[in-house]
């Protein structure tokens, strides 16, 4: 079965610019997660979707970050405007509700 | 607040040793716990998933245990190999899924 697809793999932007990441989960997976992983740390949950509804976005900096899940399938995560501290790897994962979670390769963002 | 802690942060062992990685969590009301491996610059690879009703899971040289009452899980790696060198992450599903900071393992030939 195809895994979780993320694009782009790498992105370099200047501070105050905007950026968007895309995630295509495993077919049929109702739950989709976006995580931020700063170098040397464990992933931090930004937002969790169940189908196209938000389950948890308590750690999403809503003044600059937004996310949506179209028709309960693909998802995009946007940052506008970006700050230097947003430099990190952004990971997308999906699962069958409470089942095993599978991760994409991630998008490495560098803000200069 | 639901927190996940992993000890030690780093571990270096000679090839062939058996080793144990630890994960602790603050809330025993969990749905499941999942162990991942992360190689440098890569995404996360799922190793084992333990449901809240289970005590342990095994896959090859890996064995993971779960003790909900004490808020602990261990990942046992038998006969370690240099290819096992990676960061091992524990994720606990409370409702959302939260990670520890990981244990960076180095297995020396």
């Amino acid at each position: 079965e195809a895994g979780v697809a993320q694009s782009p793999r790498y992105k370099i932007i200047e501070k105050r610019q905007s950026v968007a990441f895309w995630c295509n989960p495993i077919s049929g997976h109702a739950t989709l997660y976006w995580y931020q992983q700063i170098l040397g740390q464990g992933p931090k949950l930004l937002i969790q979707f169940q189908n196209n509804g938000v389950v948890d976005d308590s750690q999403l900096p809503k003044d600059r970050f937004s996310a949506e899940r179209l028709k309960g399938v693909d998802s995009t995560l946007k940052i506008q405007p970006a700050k230097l501290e947003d430099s990190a790897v952004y990971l997308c994962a999906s699962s069958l509700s409470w089942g095993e979670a599978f991760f994409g390769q991630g998008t490495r963002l560098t803000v200069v | 607040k639901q927190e996940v802690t992993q000890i030690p942060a780093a571990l270096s062992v000679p090839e062939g040793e058996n080793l144990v990685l630890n994960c602790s969590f603050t809330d025993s009301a969990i749905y499941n716990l999942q162990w991942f491996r992360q190689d440098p610059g890569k995404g996360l690879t799922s190793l084992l998933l333990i449901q809240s009703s289970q005590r342990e899971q095994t896959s090859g040289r890996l064995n993971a245990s779960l003790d909900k009452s004490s808020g602990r899980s261990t990942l046992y790696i038998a006969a370690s190999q240099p290819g096992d060198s990676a960061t091992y992450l524990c994720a606990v599903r409370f409702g959302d899924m939260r990670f520890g900071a990981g244990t960076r393992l180095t297995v020396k030939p």
Side-chain angles (χ1 to χ4, degrees), chain B residues 27-88:
Chain B
D27 187 346
S28 62
I30 70 171
Y31 289 94
N32 57 46
L33 184 147
Q34 196 167 351
W35 283 93
F36 292 88
R37 168 185 174 138
Q38 187 173 35
D39 293 286
K42 299 293 178 70
L44 278 64
T45 300
S46 178
L47 297 174
L48 289 164
L49 171 72
I50 310 178
Q51 299 292 351
S52 61
S53 58
Q54 297 175 319
R55 297 282 294 184
E56 65 179 300
Q57 280 285 350
T58 298
S59 176
R61 294 183 293 110
L62 305 180
N63 176 276
S65 68
L66 174 64
D67 183 344
K68 281 197 311 178
S69 61
S70 65
R72 292 181 184 177
S73 176
T74 61
L75 179 66
Y76 175 83
I77 302 177
S80 59
Q81 303 170 358
D84 294 330
S85 298
T87 296
Y88 290 81

Side-chain angles (χ1 to χ4, degrees), chain A residues 33 35 37 56 98 100-101, chain B residues 32 34 38 46 93 96-97:
Chain A
Y33 314 80
Y35 286 87
Q37 187 175 27
D56 185 344
W98 307 122
E100 188 175 8
Chain B
N32 57 46
Q34 196 167 351
Q38 187 173 35
S46 178
R93 187 177 267 114
D96 58 5
M97 188 168 66

Side-chain angles (χ1 to χ4, degrees), chain A residues 1 25-31 51 69 72-73 94-97:
Chain A
E1 98 191 330
I26 293 172
S27 178
H29 280 193
T31 307
N51 296 307
R69 189 175 184 191
V73 182
S94 69
S95 68
L96 284 168
S97 294

Side-chain angles (χ1 to χ4, degrees), chain A residues 6-102:
Chain A
Q6 288 189 248
S7 67
R9 286 295 313 277
Y10 306 92
K11 191 74 176 179
I12 301 174
I13 62 172
E14 295 182 350
K15 58 183 179 183
R16 291 187 290 275
Q17 285 188 325
S18 63
V19 64
F21 312 127
W22 175 82
C23 174
N24 181 234
I26 293 172
S27 178
H29 280 193
T31 307
L32 185 147
Y33 314 80
W34 281 103
Y35 286 87
Q36 180 193 58
Q37 187 175 27
I38 293 172
L39 188 64
Q41 299 181 16
K44 182 182 87 171
L45 180 67
L46 294 175
I47 189 166
Q48 177 178 335
F49 292 95
Q50 184 73 17
N51 296 307
N52 60 352
V54 175
V55 173
D56 185 344
D57 63 357
S58 58
Q59 299 188 91
L60 186 74
K62 297 180 185 64
D63 58 334
R64 298 184 300 106
F65 286 63
S66 65
E68 62 178 359
R69 189 175 184 191
L70 305 173
K71 299 180 181 178
V73 182
D74 292 7
S75 178
T76 56
L77 176 69
K78 297 179 182 178
I79 307 175
Q80 182 179 9
K83 294 184 175 181
L84 295 177
E85 58 260 37
D86 298 332
S87 293
V89 176
Y90 290 84
L91 295 163
C92 179
S94 69
S95 68
L96 284 168
S97 294
W98 307 122
E100 188 175 8
F102 296 90

Side-chain angles (χ1 to χ4, degrees), chain B residues 3-22:
Chain B
E3 292 185 351
V4 181
T5 304
Q6 290 188 249
I7 295 174
L11 181 64
S12 181
V13 301
E15 181 177 5
E17 274 204 6
N18 302 323
L19 57 98
V20 174
L21 307 180
N22 297 293

